[in-house]
Amino acid sequence: MQKNNIYSRKINFSGPFFFQVSITNRCNLNCLHCYRKDNSATEFPPEGFPALLKQYKKILEFNDCRFGRIEISGGEPLVAQNLKPFLSLVQKENIPYRIFSNGTLFNKSNINELKKMGFSCVQISIEGEEAINDQIRGKGNFKQTLRNIKLLF
C-alpha cells in the first residue's frame, strides 16, 4: 500500500497558498471563546524553522503555486520569544508573511522593528462593538486595539 503523503499527487491549485504557523500557545488575553486555554510557554522551536520553510517551498514548487505567504498565528505572536528569529529567516528566504494578532501589543517600537523585517500585512481580530468585544476579551481591549491600529498607518 502506498503511503499517503503531501507529495503523492498535485492538488491542482492555481491560487495563492497560505501556510499558517502557530508560533506560540501563549497569549496576553484570556478570551472567553478561545480554544487555547493552556497558556503555557510552548513555542515552535527555532531549530525547526529551516525544515518548516523548506517544506513550505517544496509544497509551492510541487503544486506549481506562483505565490504563497506564511500566516503567523498563536496564541498571540507578539508574545513569542521566537518571533524575531523566525521573521529573520522568513525575510532571508524572501517569503511574504502576515501576522494574526489581537492588536493589543503593537507599539511604535515593535512596529518599526517588524517593518525592518519585512512586516507589511497584519490581520487584527475584534469581536464586534466595544461592549461585546470587551465582554469577550476583557475591559479596555477594544479601545487599546483601535489605538494600536492607528499606529500601523
Side-chain angles (χ1 to χ4, degrees), residues 8 15 42 49-50 52 56 64 72 84 94 125 146:
S8 63
T42 305
F49 294 160
L52 177 77
Y56 165 76
D64 300 321
I72 303 168
K84 289 178 191 173
N94 202 28
S125 301
L146 292 184

Short mmCIF file of all heavy atoms in Angstrom, two decimals, residues 8 15 42 49-50 52 56 64 72 84 94 125 146:
data_model
loop_
_atom_site.label_atom_id
_atom_site.label_comp_id
_atom_site.label_asym_id
_atom_site.label_seq_id
_atom_site.Cartn_x
_atom_site.Cartn_y
_atom_site.Cartn_z
N SER A 8 2.15 12.90 -2.84
CA SER A 8 1.65 11.76 -3.61
C SER A 8 0.86 12.18 -4.84
O SER A 8 0.74 11.44 -5.79
CB SER A 8 0.82 10.83 -2.72
OG SER A 8 -0.33 11.52 -2.25
N GLY A 15 -4.30 29.11 -7.12
CA GLY A 15 -4.32 30.35 -6.34
C GLY A 15 -3.15 30.44 -5.40
O GLY A 15 -2.28 29.58 -5.37
N THR A 42 4.71 27.05 25.63
CA THR A 42 5.01 26.23 24.46
C THR A 42 5.17 27.11 23.23
O THR A 42 4.28 27.89 22.90
CB THR A 42 3.88 25.20 24.23
OG1 THR A 42 3.70 24.45 25.41
CG2 THR A 42 4.21 24.29 23.08
N PHE A 49 12.67 25.78 12.36
CA PHE A 49 12.29 26.77 11.33
C PHE A 49 12.82 26.45 9.94
O PHE A 49 12.07 26.50 8.97
CB PHE A 49 12.72 28.18 11.74
CG PHE A 49 12.03 28.73 12.95
CD1 PHE A 49 12.59 29.78 13.64
CD2 PHE A 49 10.82 28.23 13.39
CE1 PHE A 49 11.97 30.32 14.77
CE2 PHE A 49 10.18 28.76 14.50
CZ PHE A 49 10.76 29.81 15.19
N PRO A 50 14.12 26.13 9.79
CA PRO A 50 14.62 25.86 8.43
C PRO A 50 13.89 24.70 7.74
O PRO A 50 13.53 24.81 6.57
CB PRO A 50 16.11 25.53 8.65
CG PRO A 50 16.46 26.25 9.91
CD PRO A 50 15.22 26.15 10.77
N LEU A 52 10.86 23.65 8.35
CA LEU A 52 9.49 24.10 8.08
C LEU A 52 9.42 24.91 6.78
O LEU A 52 8.57 24.66 5.92
CB LEU A 52 8.98 24.94 9.25
CG LEU A 52 7.59 25.54 9.08
CD1 LEU A 52 6.54 24.47 9.32
CD2 LEU A 52 7.40 26.70 10.03
N TYR A 56 7.58 24.17 3.15
CA TYR A 56 6.70 25.17 2.55
C TYR A 56 7.06 25.41 1.09
O TYR A 56 6.22 25.40 0.20
CB TYR A 56 6.78 26.47 3.38
CG TYR A 56 6.21 27.68 2.70
CD1 TYR A 56 4.83 27.87 2.61
CD2 TYR A 56 7.03 28.64 2.13
CE1 TYR A 56 4.30 28.99 1.99
CE2 TYR A 56 6.51 29.76 1.52
CZ TYR A 56 5.15 29.93 1.44
OH TYR A 56 4.63 31.02 0.83
N ASP A 64 3.10 23.88 -8.33
CA ASP A 64 3.20 24.97 -9.30
C ASP A 64 2.51 26.25 -8.83
O ASP A 64 1.93 26.98 -9.63
CB ASP A 64 2.64 24.55 -10.67
CG ASP A 64 3.38 23.37 -11.25
OD1 ASP A 64 4.61 23.32 -11.12
OD2 ASP A 64 2.71 22.49 -11.83
N ILE A 72 1.34 33.87 10.33
CA ILE A 72 1.90 33.64 11.66
C ILE A 72 0.83 33.91 12.71
O ILE A 72 0.32 35.02 12.83
CB ILE A 72 3.13 34.53 11.90
CG1 ILE A 72 4.17 34.25 10.80
CG2 ILE A 72 3.70 34.28 13.29
CD1 ILE A 72 5.28 35.26 10.76
N LYS A 84 11.18 36.94 16.45
CA LYS A 84 12.24 37.62 15.71
C LYS A 84 13.14 36.65 14.95
O LYS A 84 13.43 36.89 13.77
CB LYS A 84 13.06 38.52 16.64
CG LYS A 84 12.29 39.73 17.11
CD LYS A 84 13.11 40.57 18.06
CE LYS A 84 12.25 41.62 18.71
NZ LYS A 84 12.98 42.34 19.76
N ASN A 94 13.05 35.53 1.67
CA ASN A 94 12.21 36.40 0.83
C ASN A 94 10.78 35.86 0.70
O ASN A 94 10.19 35.85 -0.39
CB ASN A 94 12.85 36.60 -0.55
CG ASN A 94 12.33 37.83 -1.23
OD1 ASN A 94 11.94 38.80 -0.58
ND2 ASN A 94 12.30 37.81 -2.54
N SER A 125 -7.95 40.92 15.10
CA SER A 125 -9.28 40.42 15.45
C SER A 125 -9.94 41.30 16.50
O SER A 125 -9.32 41.65 17.50
CB SER A 125 -9.17 39.00 16.02
OG SER A 125 -8.58 38.14 15.09
N LEU A 146 -7.92 49.61 18.91
CA LEU A 146 -8.12 50.69 17.95
C LEU A 146 -6.98 51.71 17.99
O LEU A 146 -6.53 52.19 16.95
CB LEU A 146 -9.46 51.38 18.18
CG LEU A 146 -10.71 50.55 17.86
CD1 LEU A 146 -11.96 51.38 18.03
CD2 LEU A 146 -10.65 49.95 16.46
#
